[in-house]
Amino acid sequence: MSYFSAMVAAVPKDAKEAYIDHEAASWPLFAKAGALRQVAIWGEDVMHGQQTDFWRAVDASDDEIVACSWIEWPDRATADAAWGSLSPEAMPPMPFDGKRLIFGGFTPLYRAGTDRGGYYQAFITPVPTANRDAYAKLADHVYETMFAPNGCLGTVEAWAEDVPRGSATDFWRAVDAREGEEVVFAWTAWPDRATCDAAAEAMGAASSDEPHPEMPFDGMRMVWGGFVPVFDETA
């Protein structure tokens, strides 16, 4: 089963090229260690929330942008072996504050379509452990009845497998996770932002006339935003 190492960082706005260069310099190391793919996406439409959001997740300042990235591995064993063999000295310098970087390992809970697109929406969601199956069922329902009919290319919902607690920031704090909850990191792929924005408008209009499905998580603490891809390499 595939396994994902996911990261979210606060990157200075003027360091976009340096961030892309960092991803490009990191990829050969990960590929040699067995990675299948590496993707980095740059914040374009990242909202500020009332309780949680991507900005708070990495304590981003006004002169920073939120960027997400993930590495796909064939399995967790390969990922663990790779991280164990890569020393900090071997990695290229980070053009952002690594102390505020949040990261973790996730296993796919639900996948549909393709996760390759020209625009992405990324999500971090706190889900009660007992609601894992209900969450997967809802993800399938939403994709098949709402996202796909409105142009979404595909989606990945990944369940926390090895997500460490950080001293300043982490995935748990990002969504104010409570006891008995796990974290889901997810993304949807779209052809472009225009398609995604039109879909959001269409889905909003349609849902106003229909009862909402029961949510197996607290949507008020879900974090989400729109991103453009800036790096995508496959082994």
Side-chain angles (χ1 to χ4, degrees), residues 124-197:
I124 311 172
T125 309
V127 181
T129 304
N131 291 352
R132 176 178 174 136
D133 291 344
Y135 181 85
K137 184 177 180 179
L138 176 65
D140 177 68
H141 173 77
V142 170
Y143 178 74
E144 294 293 341
T145 65
M146 299 175 69
F147 283 178
N150 284 286
C152 184
L153 301 174
T155 185
V156 175
E157 301 274 355
W159 189 265
E161 178 80 14
D162 181 25
V163 179
R165 305 276 179 172
S167 58
T169 56
D170 56 36
F171 270 105
W172 306 101
R173 287 184 177 90
V175 290
D176 190 21
R178 316 286 169 77
E179 185 176 354
E181 292 181 331
E182 296 289 349
V183 177
V184 170
F185 180 69
W187 59 94
T188 53
W190 301 83
D192 46 49
R193 179 175 176 179
T195 303
C196 183
D197 288 348

Side-chain angles (χ1 to χ4, degrees), residues 8-79:
V8 183
V11 185
K13 293 178 179 178
D14 59 3
K16 183 176 182 178
E17 291 305 317
Y19 177 72
I20 296 172
D21 291 344
H22 172 268
E23 295 297 302
S26 301
W27 168 241
L29 301 175
F30 295 132
K32 185 178 180 180
L36 303 176
R37 185 181 176 212
Q38 181 176 330
V39 180
I41 54 179
W42 187 262
E44 177 163 310
D45 183 28
V46 182
M47 286 64 62
H48 290 273
Q50 295 182 351
Q51 185 175 354
T52 57
D53 55 36
F54 267 111
W55 305 99
R56 290 184 178 99
V58 289
D59 194 21
S61 62
D62 292 339
D63 60 351
E64 294 176 321
I65 287 289
V66 177
C68 300
S69 63
W70 60 87
I71 304 164
E72 183 172 2
W73 308 89
D75 48 49
R76 179 176 175 178
T78 304

